[in-house]
């Protein structure tokens, strides 16, 4: 009955009557999608001002692959056959651990069901020879669409563990299926499917920014509505939301008010949940470049790998609008793209990712051969080895009202998300290292007049020469050395900063729509006890450890710490959190990957 109601509420399929968009002529039509025209119209009409989905990671043309008989038979062999009848529901929003569905005979339609403010709509139709599924099959996200049989026949259900076997064992098939899942996510983000997760909030509110940053980093299918626009107002009205409810998320069957990334992750099934009672081989804490590299190498080398992050995947690197010094990318690439690809790679090899998921304690007394990690929600994870890749946290200035303006005018990153509220308005960047220089150029490139405030006497002391030259030549950048921001003013949002020039001993207030702070960071180690660190709090490993650091456990083991191993056996530290690290993406990924060799050796010495 529920399925019948959903059927009657379904809006006309946008693809109907237009034919396949991504088909090649003369071949069977396994999948038909909403056309780009329809998608653009929908986007323009419904959600002006939403975050751009970004460049597709793979060409969307691979979303509907055409498998020859032999490949299709191989794909079907991973599933179990089920006879279907018109109207059968194959999956519905909210379900976890859904199967990949291979259509042997008949056809299946994929529908975005109605939410508080939009009627249902058909997203795609999959005929015999195609398969139904998108990236959530690998990320573990709950289903947000409805799959229903349009024409009865036979489907082959491939459960998650069989899909993982396919990914690991059949290179040819896994390549085709994996690229299709990624391309479908890109297509869905730009389709009516995005209305399945609608986020509404005030453009410059810190809580809304946290939610949007999480959604963007997880590449969640979603639409953003600015509550200050007519589209946002209309959406709030039809969903029965008031200002007090913001930020809010409207999902099929439910609405989250005063929503947080954690609440959204719980609803979508992206929080930590362990399906196996067995301990993990390795748990990696922190999904920046170092943690992601450890996850890719751990999972690809057969370790049961869990990767957690307190915020979302990508770490500091995801906040970098342009990384120009990463090996092999002479034209630079955005940190979000780099880490987004790494996430896909880790998922492909079968790593389990969960965020937001904060580690709050590590039991350093081994529980038998296992290490026990405690998470903020009270869950525990037992594993044979732990890799700490928690990086460093940004430093702030000890100014009155600083906490009030964090996320509401004060930012620690300069990406599209932070910068769009300031486009064309004057901004201030604090810091003398490369990250500050990059941010200043990025913001100036978006039409802002930028004051770059540097405490030291010379901008060239810490910054790369190529950046210094570009900054000094840029007509919209003013470099103010021997200067400091000493006062902040505004209402709910930052409006003005006072900059004190220490040479002239003069202070000047000036308008400021965004203060971008890049003055270094402190290691994210406050959740750890009993681990050897340097005076600066960064974690020491292997040759940095002295005999005094090594307790009796090492005598029992009869070995010295392995490369990247900390003073606690089986616990490793990589990336920015590691004492003496280079604080660069390439160094972090190198350390993360290398540590896995030590993890293997450490596990081999257990029992
Ligand atoms: C704006 C900016 C621009 C930059 N540009 C460049 C550049 O051009 N080139 C370059 O080489 N480097 C650049 N860097 C530096 C580079 O990003 C870092 O060196 C790199 O990200 C370090 O990687 P990491 O994995 O060690 O740590 P991070 O990237 O800091 O990641 C650590 C992760 O751990 C998570 N975490 C922390 N505590 C916990 C906990 N208790 N439980 C769970 N998770 C936790 C955090 O949420 C975070 O996601 C830039 C940095 C910034 C901020």
């Amino acid at each position: 009955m529920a399925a019948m109601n959903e059927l009657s509420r379904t809006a006309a399929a946008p693809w109907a009557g237009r034919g396949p968009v991504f088909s090649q002529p003369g071949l069977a039509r396994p999948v038909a999608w909403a056309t780009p025209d329809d998608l653009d119209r929908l986007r323009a009409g419904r959600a002006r001002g939403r975050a751009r989905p970004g460049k597709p990671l793979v060409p969307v043309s691979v979303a509907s692959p055409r498998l020859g008989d032999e490949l299709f038979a191989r794909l079907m062999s991973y599933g179990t056959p089920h006879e279907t009848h018109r109207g059968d529901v194959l999956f519905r929003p909210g379900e976890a651990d859904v199967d990949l569905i291979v259509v042997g005979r008949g056809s299946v339609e994929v529908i975005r069901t109605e939410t508080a403010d939009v009627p249902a709509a058909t997203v795609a139709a999959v005929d015999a020879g195609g398969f139904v599924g998108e990236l959530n099959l690998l990320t573990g996200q709950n289903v947000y669409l409805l799959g229903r049989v349009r024409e009865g026949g036979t489907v082959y259900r491939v459960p998650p563990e069989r899909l993982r076997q396919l990914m690991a064992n059949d290179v040819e098939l896994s390549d085709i299926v994996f690229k299709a899942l990624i391309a479908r996510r890109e297509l869905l983000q730009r389709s009516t499917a995005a209305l399945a997760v609608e986020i509404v909030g005030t453009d410059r509110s810190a809580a809304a920014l946290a939610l949007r940053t999480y959604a963007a980093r997880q590449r969640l299918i979603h639409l953003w509505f600015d509550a200050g626009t007519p589209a946002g107002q209309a959406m709030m009205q039809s969903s029965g939301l008031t200002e007090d409810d913001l930020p809010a998320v409207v999902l099929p069957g439910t609405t989250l008010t005063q929503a947080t990334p954690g609440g959204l992750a719980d609803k979508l099934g992206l929080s930590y949940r362990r399906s196996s009672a067995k301990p993990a081989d390795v748990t990696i804490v922190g999904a920046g470049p170092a943690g992601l590299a450890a996850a890719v190498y751990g999972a690809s080398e057969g370790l049961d790998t869990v990767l957690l992050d307190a915020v979302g995947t990508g770490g500091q690197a995801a906040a970098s609008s342009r990384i120009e010094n990463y090996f092999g990318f002479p034209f630079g690439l955005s940190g979000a793209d780099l880490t987004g690809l790494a996430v896909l790679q880790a998922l492909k090899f079968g790593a389990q990712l969960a965020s937001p998921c904060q580690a709050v304690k590590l039991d350093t007394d081994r529980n038998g051969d296992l290490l026990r990690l405690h998470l903020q929600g009270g869950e525990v994870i037992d594993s044979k080895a732990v890799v700490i890749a928690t990086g460093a946290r940004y430093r702030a200035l000890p100014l009155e009202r600083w906490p009030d303006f964090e996320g509401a005018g004060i930012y620690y990153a300069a990406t599209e998300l932070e910068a769009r509220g300031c486009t064309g308005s004057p901004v201030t960047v604090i810091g003398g290292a490369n990250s500050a220089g990059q941010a200043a150029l990025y913001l100036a490139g978006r039409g802002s007049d930028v004051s770059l405030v540097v405490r030291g006497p010379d901008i060239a002391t810490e910054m790369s020469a190529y950046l210094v030259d570009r900054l000094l030549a840029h007509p919209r950048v003013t470099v103010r050395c021997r200067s400091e921001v000493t006062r902040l003013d505004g209402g709910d949002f930052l409006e003005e900063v006072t900059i004190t020039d220490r040479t002239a001993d003069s202070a000047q207030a000036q308008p400021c729509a965004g203060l971008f702070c890049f003055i270094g960071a402190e290691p994210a180690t406050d959740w750890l006890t009993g681990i050897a660190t340097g005076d600066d709090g960064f974690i020491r490993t292997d040759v940095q450890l002295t005999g005094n650091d090594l307790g009796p456990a090492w005598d029992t083991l009869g070995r010295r710490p392995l490369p990247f191993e900390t003073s606690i056996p089986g616990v490793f530290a990589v990336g920015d959190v590691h004492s003496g690290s280079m604080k660069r993406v390439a160094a972090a990924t190198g350390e993360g990957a290398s540590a896995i060799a030590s993890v293997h050796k450490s596990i081999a010495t257990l029992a």
Side-chain angles (χ1 to χ4, degrees):
M1 188 61 188
M4 283 305 293
N5 287 340
E6 276 146 0
L7 183 63
S8 58
R9 285 198 297 263
T10 303
W15 45 267
R18 299 232 185 175
V21 181
F22 300 112
S23 300
Q24 294 159 20
L27 293 167
R29 177 174 66 120
V31 186
W33 297 86
T35 69
D37 277 0
D38 290 316
L39 310 181
D40 288 345
R41 191 160 41 74
L42 173 95
R43 222 171 9 176
R46 293 285 318 170
R48 270 191 304 277
R50 65 187 273 285
R52 277 187 290 121
K55 204 171 70 177
L57 295 174
V58 297
V60 289
S61 55
V62 299
S64 310
R66 230 160 275 284
L67 303 177
D69 289 348
E70 196 261 326
L71 268 179
F72 192 67
R74 237 154 67 198
L75 180 58
M76 284 194 296
S77 73
Y78 281 90
T80 47
H82 294 262
E83 292 307 307
T84 59
H85 303 95
R86 180 176 166 76
D88 285 354
V89 172
L90 301 174
F91 53 85
R92 60 175 74 245
E95 281 179 10
D97 298 327
V98 74
D99 304 330
L100 176 88
I101 292 180
V102 184
V103 185
R105 283 188 309 115
S107 70
V108 172
E109 60 189 342
V110 181
I111 294 158
R112 179 188 44 68
T113 53
E114 67 172 2
T115 63
D117 70 318
V118 277
T122 303
V123 173
V126 184
D127 289 340
F131 57 91
V132 185
E134 69 98 36
L135 202 57
N136 65 340
L137 294 177
L138 298 182
T139 64
Q141 181 183 340
N142 292 345
V143 184
Y144 49 90
L145 299 170
L146 176 88
R148 188 175 51 201
V149 174
R150 198 169 55 146
E151 188 192 323
T154 313
V155 298
Y156 293 77
R157 301 192 80 121
V158 182
E161 61 281 7
R162 289 289 285 159
L163 180 61
R164 274 194 289 278
Q165 284 167 8
L166 181 160
M167 287 296 185
N169 302 335
D170 193 325
V171 178
E172 192 182 7
L173 206 49
S174 84
D175 206 34
I176 295 169
V177 172
F178 186 51
K179 281 189 182 146
L181 300 187
I182 298 168
R184 288 172 181 193
R185 169 80 40 128
E186 306 284 352
L187 272 173
L188 290 168
Q189 175 58 55
R190 292 183 281 145
S191 83
T192 180
L195 292 166
V197 181
E198 295 174 293
I199 304 178
V200 59
T202 312
D203 202 21
R204 298 189 71 203
S205 109
L209 181 65
L211 209 52
R212 296 181 66 198
T213 302
Y214 176 71
R217 287 200 184 175
Q218 302 310 117
R219 287 189 177 257
L220 293 182
I221 307 285
H222 71 285
L223 270 186
W224 158 251
F225 290 85
D226 178 353
T229 62
Q233 287 293 316
M235 182 267 189
M236 283 173 67
Q237 202 175 10
S238 51
S239 310
L241 292 166
T242 67
E243 297 280 321
D244 291 342
D245 296 326
L246 302 182
V249 186
V250 180
L251 302 152
T254 186
T255 298
L256 305 177
T257 54
Q258 298 188 356
T260 59
L264 179 59
D266 277 349
K267 219 52 227 157
L268 298 180
L270 292 171
S271 306
Y272 176 73
R273 59 189 158 131
R274 183 97 184 122
S275 43
S276 152
K278 271 189 6 197
D281 288 330
V282 57
T283 300
I284 301 155
V285 189
L292 282 165
V296 167
Y297 280 79
S300 68
E301 291 175 17
L303 296 177
D304 177 9
T305 303
V306 177
L307 175 64
L308 313 171
D309 198 287
V311 180
T313 49
Q316 281 186 64
S320 175
S321 43
R322 192 168 163 86
I323 297 173
E324 289 196 62
N325 58 353
Y326 193 68
F327 175 83
F329 289 86
F331 309 113
L333 81 170
S334 89
D337 282 352
L338 177 68
T339 54
L341 287 165
V343 167
L344 294 175
Q345 212 168 3
L347 288 170
K348 175 183 164 176
F349 288 124
Q352 186 195 348
L353 272 58
S355 74
C357 186
Q358 187 170 357
V360 291
K361 187 176 157 207
L362 174 63
D363 281 340
T364 48
D365 288 336
R366 290 186 81 106
N367 166 22
D369 276 341
L370 300 178
L371 293 153
R372 176 160 284 189
L373 202 60
H374 297 254
L375 308 182
Q376 195 174 38
E379 308 94 328
V380 295
I381 306 179
D382 288 331
S383 28
K384 297 177 188 166
V386 169
V387 175
I388 299 169
T390 46
R393 293 207 184 100
Y394 312 105
R395 283 204 189 103
L397 291 179
L399 294 178
E400 217 185 310
R401 301 218 58 198
W402 186 280
D404 298 348
F405 294 131
E406 277 183 321
I410 294 181
Y411 308 105
Y412 300 96
T415 67
E416 153 82 14
L417 285 179
E418 293 81 14
R420 54 191 300 267
C422 320
T423 304
S425 306
V427 298
T428 306
V429 176
I430 310 179
N434 280 4
S435 50
Q438 287 169 359
L441 284 174
Y442 176 68
L443 294 161
R446 296 175 57 102
S448 286
D449 284 328
V450 181
S451 298
L452 176 59
V453 179
V454 182
R455 201 166 54 167
D458 185 0
I459 186 184
T461 313
E462 285 186 68
M463 204 177 286
S464 300
Y466 79 95
L467 282 172
V468 173
D469 293 344
R470 286 188 212 170
L471 286 164
L472 295 178
H474 203 296
R476 276 196 293 274
V477 177
T478 308
V479 179
R480 304 188 58 172
C481 291
R482 279 195 209 281
S483 296
E484 287 171 47
V485 171
T486 49
R487 189 185 157 98
L488 310 168
D489 286 290
D492 288 343
F493 299 105
L494 179 69
E495 288 163 20
E496 195 175 87
V497 294
T498 300
I499 299 175
T500 300
D501 183 327
R502 297 292 176 203
T503 309
D505 200 18
S506 62
Q508 184 196 354
Q510 61 183 52
C512 179
L515 178 63
F516 295 83
C517 185
F518 299 95
I519 55 168
E522 290 169 359
T525 50
D526 48 1
W527 58 284
L528 290 163
T529 50
I531 201 160
T533 63
D535 292 342
D536 53 6
F538 288 85
I539 300 174
R540 287 185 289 126
T541 67
D542 51 84
V543 293
Q544 296 169 328
L545 296 165
T546 66
N548 291 339
D549 296 317
L550 307 180
W554 291 98
D555 298 333
T556 318
L557 277 175
R559 65 171 175 83
R560 287 268 316 162
L562 296 159
F564 303 104
E565 198 165 23
T566 67
S567 57
I568 303 166
V571 179
F572 300 80
V574 292
D576 281 10
V577 77
H578 180 202
S579 180
S581 77
M582 195 186 165
K583 311 277 183 297
R584 292 284 182 275
V585 174
T589 54
E591 291 194 2
S594 308
I596 292 300
S598 296
V599 167
H600 276 294
K601 286 187 192 144
S602 141
I603 290 178
T605 64
L606 299 174

